[in-house]
Amino acid sequence: MRLTTAQALVRFLAAQWTERDGVEQRLIEGCFGIFGHGNVAGIGQALAEQGAGLDDALPYYLARNEQAMVHTAVAYARTRDRLATFACTTSIGPGATNLVTGAALATINRLPVLLLPGDVFATRAAGTVLQELEDPRSHDVTVNDCLRPVSRFFDRIDRPEQLPAALMAAMRVLSDPAETGAVTLALPQDVQAEAADWPEELFARRVWHVARPVPEPAALERAVRMLRASRRPLIVAGGGVKYSGACADLLEFAVRHGVPVAETQAGKGAVPYDHPCAAGAIGHTGTAAAVALARDADLVIGVGTRYTDFTTASRTLFGGARFLNVNVAAFDAAKHAGEMLVADARQALRALDPGDWCADPAWTGRAQELARGWQRVTDTAYAGQELTQPVLLGLVNAAARGGVVVNAAGSMPGDLHRLWRADDPGQYHVEYGYSCMGYEIAGGLGVKLAAPEREVFVLVGDGSYLMMAQEIATAAQEGVKLVVVLVDNGGFASIGALSEAVGAARLGTAYRSRGGSGHLDGDPLPTDLALNAASLGADVLTAADPGSFRQALEKAVAATRTTVIHATTVPGGGPAAQAWWDVPVAEVSGLAPVRAARERYAAAKRDQRLYL
C-alpha cells in the first residue's frame, strides 16, 4: 500500500503488542506530541488521518512541554511493569532537544519510551532551515545527535526504505527488559511526508514476547554454595523485583530462609512495611535498621537492583560482605564483583533452592527487633502539632491506602524512603534514578493513565513545581484527577541544607529578592503558587497546620477533578541520614566549619571499597 513514511510509522505502532505469561497488551498505548514545522505535516497529518479505515488507531494526547511528556510516558511504563509505554513526537530544534532530560531519565531508570523528534531535510535542498544547527565539520550532524548518548537505540531515517528495519530494532529494545530505555527515531521532515510502497505484512498485528530468562545451572550451583556459607544474609530488593512480578516469590524465599529484606527507592513496597521480614529502606536515605544490618551482613543478595550510590552509601555501607546479584541485565549483575545470576527475578527466586539452609536465628531475630524500633521512630516523626514535612507525609500516608504516592526530588525522597509505609508494590512511585525536578506532576499523570482505578497523590516541592507545573492543564484537558500536594517552603530546602553543610552558605537556595547587601537575601518573592495552580485548571485548597491539611486531604480525595493542596510547612525534618553520601567538600577554605567538614569527608572516604 502507498503511504507516507509518517503514515506507515503510525500504522505500524498501532499494531504492536507485548505478551508475558500469556497476557497481551499494547506496547505503544498512544502518542504524546507538540507540533511544529518539523512534524506537523508528517506525524501530525498521519495521526489526524488515521481514523479512515483503521480499527485500532493510535490515540493522540496534547502535552505542554516536551520533557514533561517523556516523564508521563516513563511513569506510565513503570506502572505497567515496562510492558507498555507511549511514543512522543516533537518538531525539530528546541522541541527535540527538550527531550534529552526525559530520555536520560528513562535510560537511567531502565524504562522504555519511544521518541520521534523531527529532523532537518534529508535532501538538504532547502539549505539551512529554521532551527537547524550548522556544524562546519559535517552536514549530517543535527541537534538530535545529542539524544544518542541517552538513548538505548538511535537511528535517523533518511530514506523511507530504512523505516522497517529501524522499527523492528526499536521494538526489540523497547520490549527487552535487559536492554530497554529511551529509543529515538529521528525523522527528517521531508522524509516524513514522502510516500513509498509498503508491504501489508509490515502492518500486521505483531506480538513481542517478553521473555523470562532462567538462570544458568552452574551459576545456580555457585549461588547455592554462597547461600549455604552465609550466616547473616541480607536481601536488597530493587525495582526489578516489581517489574518481574516477583514480590510474592521474594517474600516466600525470605520467610522460608529467615532472610531480612531491605529495599531501594525503586524496590520499596516489594515487601509490606509491617511484614516480619521487612527491614525497611536501605542506603543513605535508609532506615537505621537496614543500615545496621547492611554493615554486619556477610552476604548481600541483590535482586533487581543496579546499586546506585545512595543504595550503597557511596560504597561505604556493606563492610566485608560478598555479593550475589540476581538481575536480568548482566551489566548490573556484575557490579561489586558479585556472583552473577543473570535471569528474570521471578525465575531465579523460584530456581534458587538451598535446601534446609536458613540464616542464623539470632540474625533474623535481630532484624525484626531493629525493624520494630524503626516503626516507633516513624510513629514519632508522623506525630506533631505543627505541619512539618514528616507530619504532612504521615497524613498523606494515612489517606493514601490503596493509592499511589509520586515524588522525585528534594528532601521528600529521603523522608519518603525512610518513613513511608507501603502496603503493596504499586503504592510507591519515587523517581530517584535521575531525581529529576519537575517529574512529579507529569509523572503523576502517567501513573493515573496507567492505573485509573487508583488515587494518585503527587508530592511536589515549590522548587520542582516552578520548573514544570503545566501538565496540570493536560490533566484538566483529559479529565484526569490527581491530588497534588504542593509543599511551599520558600525555596530549595534540600539543597539549601546540603549547601550549608559543604560551606556554600545556602547560596541561591531561597526565593528572595536581591537585598541591600547585593545578595539574594531580601524580602520573600510575592509568588502565588496557589493562584498559578488555579490558572492551569486545578481546584485549589490551602493548609498551614495538621488539622486544616487533614481536612483538605479529605476534600481532595472526594473531589472528581485535579485538586492542588497548597501547604505551607514549617522547618523540622525527619530522622537524619543513617549512612554517608559522597559529596565533595572544598579541600582548602578560610572557614572553620568547612575545614571541619573536609576532615569528616576525608575520614568517610577511607571506608569506600573498590570491590575488586
Side-chain angles (χ1 to χ4, degrees):
M1 60 185 71
R2 192 157 183 83
L3 301 168
T4 69
T5 302
Q7 290 164 358
L9 168 67
V10 168
R11 186 169 291 206
F12 174 89
L13 294 180
Q16 305 308 299
W17 293 68
T18 59
E19 175 272 321
R20 187 176 72 176
D21 301 334
V23 178
E24 296 182 1
Q25 56 187 292
R26 290 185 69 166
L27 173 55
I28 309 297
E29 288 281 6
C31 182
F32 284 101
I34 297 176
F35 294 118
H37 68 281
N39 65 340
V40 66
I43 293 179
Q45 188 280 328
L47 289 167
E49 183 182 289
Q50 66 176 334
L54 282 186
D55 295 328
D56 198 10
L58 191 70
Y60 167 72
Y61 296 82
L62 170 62
R64 269 67 191 173
N65 177 279
E66 291 87 356
Q67 181 189 141
M69 65 187 179
V70 184
H71 294 335
T72 301
V74 165
Y76 186 97
R78 176 173 170 175
T79 306
R80 289 291 188 90
D81 293 333
R82 304 193 292 198
L83 299 171
T85 188
F86 275 79
C88 299
T89 179
T90 75
S91 186
I92 66 173
T97 53
N98 278 352
L99 295 172
V100 174
T101 296
L105 182 147
T107 297
I108 284 171
N109 283 288
R110 320 299 202 249
L111 292 167
V113 63
L114 177 62
L115 308 181
L116 305 171
D119 214 324
V120 300
F121 285 90
T123 60
R124 304 176 188 166
T128 304
V129 300
L130 177 65
Q131 301 176 328
E132 180 177 354
L133 171 73
E134 292 185 274
D135 189 327
R137 299 167 298 176
S138 173
H139 289 298
D140 68 355
V141 174
T142 81
V143 296
N144 285 335
D145 287 285
C146 66
L147 284 159
R148 288 182 185 270
V150 292
S151 297
R152 290 293 291 171
F153 177 81
F154 179 99
D155 202 1
R156 180 175 284 113
I157 312 303
D158 289 316
R159 293 292 309 144
E161 295 87 348
Q162 297 171 344
L163 183 66
L167 286 173
M168 297 296 283
M171 297 305 109
R172 179 193 65 79
V173 174
L174 288 172
S175 61
D176 185 342
E179 293 291 328
T180 198
V183 168
T184 300
L185 299 181
L187 301 165
Q189 55 184 322
D190 52 345
V191 177
Q192 289 186 47
E194 185 177 349
D197 293 320
W198 308 90
E200 283 193 28
E201 55 264 35
L202 179 64
F203 311 115
R205 187 179 190 275
R206 188 180 300 273
V207 180
W208 297 85
H209 173 68
V210 180
R212 290 189 178 276
V214 298
E216 179 192 22
L220 271 176
E221 291 178 8
R222 293 192 294 270
V224 167
R225 286 198 297 270
M226 291 185 74
L227 289 173
R228 297 190 68 83
S230 170
R231 300 277 291 166
R232 303 183 307 280
L234 176 67
I235 292 172
V236 174
V241 176
K242 296 199 282 188
Y243 301 143
S244 174
C247 296
D249 300 276
L250 177 75
L251 193 57
E252 181 182 348
F253 180 91
V255 170
R256 186 187 319 127
H257 302 293
V259 185
V261 180
E263 298 169 324
T264 69
Q265 283 278 11
K268 189 172 174 71
V271 174
Y273 79 94
D274 55 355
H275 192 278
C277 287
I282 189 74
H284 175 69
T285 55
T287 69
V291 166
L293 293 171
R295 296 194 191 285
D296 293 338
D298 61 6
L299 176 66
V300 175
I301 308 165
V303 185
T305 178
R306 61 189 186 89
Y307 291 115
T308 69
D309 66 333
F310 264 56
T311 297
T312 68
S314 300
R315 294 187 170 182
T316 64
L317 184 57
F318 293 111
R322 300 176 67 197
F323 289 83
L324 169 61
N325 298 328
V326 178
N327 206 293
V328 72
F331 178 82
D332 291 317
K335 289 179 177 176
H336 295 172
E339 184 64 53
M340 299 167 60
L341 197 59
V342 180
D344 170 79
R346 195 180 79 178
Q347 296 299 102
L349 288 166
R350 291 180 177 181
L352 194 56
D353 183 11
D356 60 357
W357 166 82
C358 282
D360 186 335
W363 172 254
T364 305
R366 181 187 174 209
Q368 293 173 353
E369 181 181 352
L370 288 169
R372 287 192 295 269
W374 188 259
Q375 291 309 319
R376 292 191 291 272
V377 172
T378 301
D379 289 337
T380 301
Y382 276 180
Q385 301 303 310
E386 294 185 302
L387 193 60
T388 62
Q389 183 165 283
V391 170
L392 179 146
L393 296 182
L395 293 170
V396 177
N397 204 166
R401 300 303 184 198
V404 185
V405 63
V406 180
N407 184 243
S411 60
M412 277 190 280
D415 283 343
L416 283 165
H417 196 207
R418 282 187 284 267
L419 301 174
W420 189 267
R421 290 166 165 166
D423 292 311
D424 67 77
Q427 193 197 46
Y428 189 85
H429 185 115
V430 174
E431 189 286 297
Y432 216 53
Y434 210 39
S435 188
C436 185
M437 295 181 71
Y439 174 89
E440 292 90 344
I441 294 171
L445 175 60
V447 172
K448 187 66 174 180
L449 289 172
E453 73 283 0
R454 284 186 180 256
E455 198 77 60
V456 176
F457 296 82
V458 174
L459 298 178
V460 58
D462 49 358
S464 281
Y465 180 89
L466 284 170
M467 288 191 177
M468 196 169 294
Q470 64 271 27
E471 298 314 308
I472 289 175
T474 305
Q477 173 181 278
E478 295 295 337
V480 173
K481 184 262 180 100
L482 304 173
V483 176
V484 180
V485 178
L486 169 53
V487 180
D488 193 341
N489 48 33
F492 303 120
S494 174
I495 202 66
L498 180 61
S499 170
E500 191 170 51
V502 299
R506 293 185 177 266
L507 178 67
T509 60
Y511 292 149
R512 292 182 175 273
S513 60
R514 196 167 297 280
S517 66
H519 297 294
L520 298 176
D521 58 1
D523 294 332
L525 297 180
T527 308
D528 192 332
L529 300 184
L531 187 61
N532 176 267
S535 75
L536 294 172
D539 292 337
V540 179
L541 303 169
T542 60
D545 59 74
S548 62
F549 184 74
R550 185 183 291 106
Q551 292 174 357
L553 269 176
E554 292 172 357
K555 291 180 181 178
V557 170
T560 58
R561 302 179 66 251
T562 289
T563 302
V564 173
I565 304 174
H566 180 250
T568 305
T569 57
V570 299
Q578 306 298 310
W580 188 63
W581 181 36
D582 192 343
V583 178
V585 180
E587 191 169 2
V588 295
S589 173
L591 301 175
V594 178
R595 293 196 298 272
R598 178 67 192 189
E599 290 179 6
R600 293 192 297 272
Y601 176 77
K605 287 283 286 184
R606 289 194 288 270
D607 291 333
Q608 283 184 313
R609 299 181 63 200
L610 294 177
Y611 294 115
L612 300 176

